[in-house]
Amino acid sequence: MLLYSIMLGTISGVISGLIPGVGNFVLLLILYPFLGSLSVVELLVFYATMSTICQYIGSIPATIYGIPGESSSYPTVIESSKLTSIKQVGNAISGSAFGSFFGSMLVLAACYLLSDYAGLISYFYSTKILVSLLLAVSIIICFNSGNSILTNFLLILTGLFLGAIGFNTYYSVPILTFDNMYLFGGLPREVVLITLFAIPQILQNYNINTIIDKSNLSYSISKVYLISPLYTCFYTIIGFIGGLVPGLTTIFSSIAAYTISSWITKDPVKRIVASETANNAGAFSLLLPLLLFGIPILSSEALLLSLIEQKGFILSFFNFSTLITDLSYNLVFANLIGLLLAWPLSKQVRHFYKIDLNTVFTIIIILLVTVVLYSGYINHSLVYYVSVFSLLAPVGYLLRNLNTLPLIFAFIIHDKLFDGVFRLIQLS
């Protein structure tokens, strides 16, 4: 059992689930310089645990305080205002925890038992499919990132432009390098991600303390609210399918389950449980395109993939069975931790929100700047990293009121997209 990876993933997932705007992507950036020492399996266990725990924890502030600890909890935020008694709050907390646990276990069991048949879909994998998926993700992000479609399109073009800077190995030509030896290697990935995504995301959430009710809400944890097995299985299937939707994953799972449950019942507790069960089921299925084909469908997955590829490891259906076995055993333990944190220990969350979150955000920004300095130092390019940071940080500040996910996603996948398009042109 990869205990260290599970513990690191658990701590990261708790932070990601509690602090709005500080998601898995930002935490990966903070830890980026230190994750290189982990093996491929340890990286995958860490990431899967972080994603799982984040889903468990995110439902607690969404239910109690009406704030989305993580983005897939927005349906829970909506229904939390309809909880009219302490009993309902307790039922929503325990029901979400156990629904999430059972949903996650069903998905893990299915993936483990069917892992030997993953090769049956291998003939769908091709350069054309890869390019199509990456373009599909980009289009979905254009329509679902909170900005206008034109703004998202321009952000994607900007991300592709920034990613193209450097020496193009496919055509063996430099692009906008101006004969600068540092620019031949392209813009530092961590600097671009920190300045144009992480910092703007954090700046959006300053002063969030003013909307949090810090009352000591006391609900019962002695009773467990369970929904029927058929209900759990139904929303697990919805969550599993939703987790495969590029660019949306658990958000789609959560919203789809919530929408369907709204047609079936008016009970806010059942709607919350349905939504939370689905997003936990999707928290693992979102990894399948990455594990089977090496295709990231989230920006955080793209960052994880870059760490894995640095080790010379190729994710494909040929090693899927081995990886899924390692992940399944370890994630059973991770989900037990998530159940413990999201149910009997959920009352402790109220103590966290007594902290001044603006101070927390400031510390995180300082840590991100430290990551830039450390990365520049270990790459013997400190002046270059600081220079790029100084140029891009003001741009990130100006973009603080926008969702810069389209820009960052395009920047991360630019090489796979460009190489795939070039291959298709040559084959046509």
Side-chain angles (χ1 to χ4, degrees), residues 297-312:
I297 59 176
L298 288 173
S299 296
S300 56
E301 285 189 0
L303 192 56
L304 175 69
L305 180 62
S306 70
L307 284 167
I308 292 173
E309 289 180 339
Q310 286 174 18
K311 300 178 181 298

Side-chain angles (χ1 to χ4, degrees), residues 76-98:
T76 301
V77 171
I78 296 172
E79 290 301 310
S80 67
S81 62
K82 302 175 185 177
L83 299 175
T84 58
S85 68
I86 297 299
K87 180 180 179 181
Q88 281 190 319
V89 173
N91 286 345
I93 292 291
S94 65
S96 296
F98 280 90

Side-chain angles (χ1 to χ4, degrees), residues 42-201:
E42 287 171 336
L43 281 171
L44 289 170
V45 169
F46 157 74
Y47 183 82
T49 300
M50 178 173 65
S51 299
T52 298
I53 298 298
C54 175
Q55 299 300 322
Y56 276 103
I57 297 298
S59 64
I60 301 172
T63 302
I64 300 175
Y65 299 111
I67 60 170
E70 42 82 31
S71 54
S72 64
S73 288
Y74 281 106
T76 301
V77 171
I78 296 172
E79 290 301 310
S80 67
S81 62
K82 302 175 185 177
L83 299 175
T84 58
S85 68
I86 297 299
K87 180 180 179 181
Q88 281 190 319
V89 173
N91 286 345
I93 292 291
S94 65
S96 296
F98 280 90
S100 297
F101 179 77
F102 292 138
S104 297
M105 290 300 98
L106 287 173
V107 170
L108 282 175
C111 290
Y112 177 75
L113 293 174
L114 299 176
S115 62
D116 291 338
Y117 300 96
L120 294 177
I121 62 173
S122 62
Y123 61 89
F124 288 112
Y125 183 60
S126 65
T127 298
K128 186 178 293 186
I129 296 295
L130 173 61
V131 172
S132 298
L133 281 173
L134 293 176
L135 289 175
V137 173
S138 301
I139 292 171
I140 290 171
I141 287 176
C142 264
F143 284 89
N144 293 279
S145 294
N147 313 309
S148 69
I149 296 176
L150 177 60
T151 298
N152 287 332
F153 179 71
L154 292 175
L155 287 173
I156 286 176
L157 290 182
T158 302
L160 293 176
F161 171 77
L162 293 176
I165 295 174
F167 187 78
N168 187 299
T169 56
Y170 201 87
Y171 281 118
S172 298
V173 294
I175 299 176
L176 297 174
T177 59
F178 307 105
D179 294 325
N180 185 300
M181 59 176 291
Y182 292 111
L183 286 174
F184 268 76
L187 297 178
R189 180 187 294 261
E190 51 268 61
V191 177
V192 175
L193 302 184
I194 287 171
T195 53
L196 300 184
F197 183 79
I199 291 178
Q201 187 83 358

Side-chain angles (χ1 to χ4, degrees), residues 249-281:
T249 59
T250 55
I251 299 175
F252 184 88
S253 298
S254 179
I255 293 175
Y258 172 67
T259 302
I260 294 173
S261 68
S262 296
W263 297 337
I264 298 173
T265 179
K266 294 183 179 180
D267 185 349
V269 175
K270 288 186 177 180
R271 291 179 178 182
I272 289 173
V273 173
S275 174
E276 294 300 326
T277 298
N279 67 35
N280 266 66

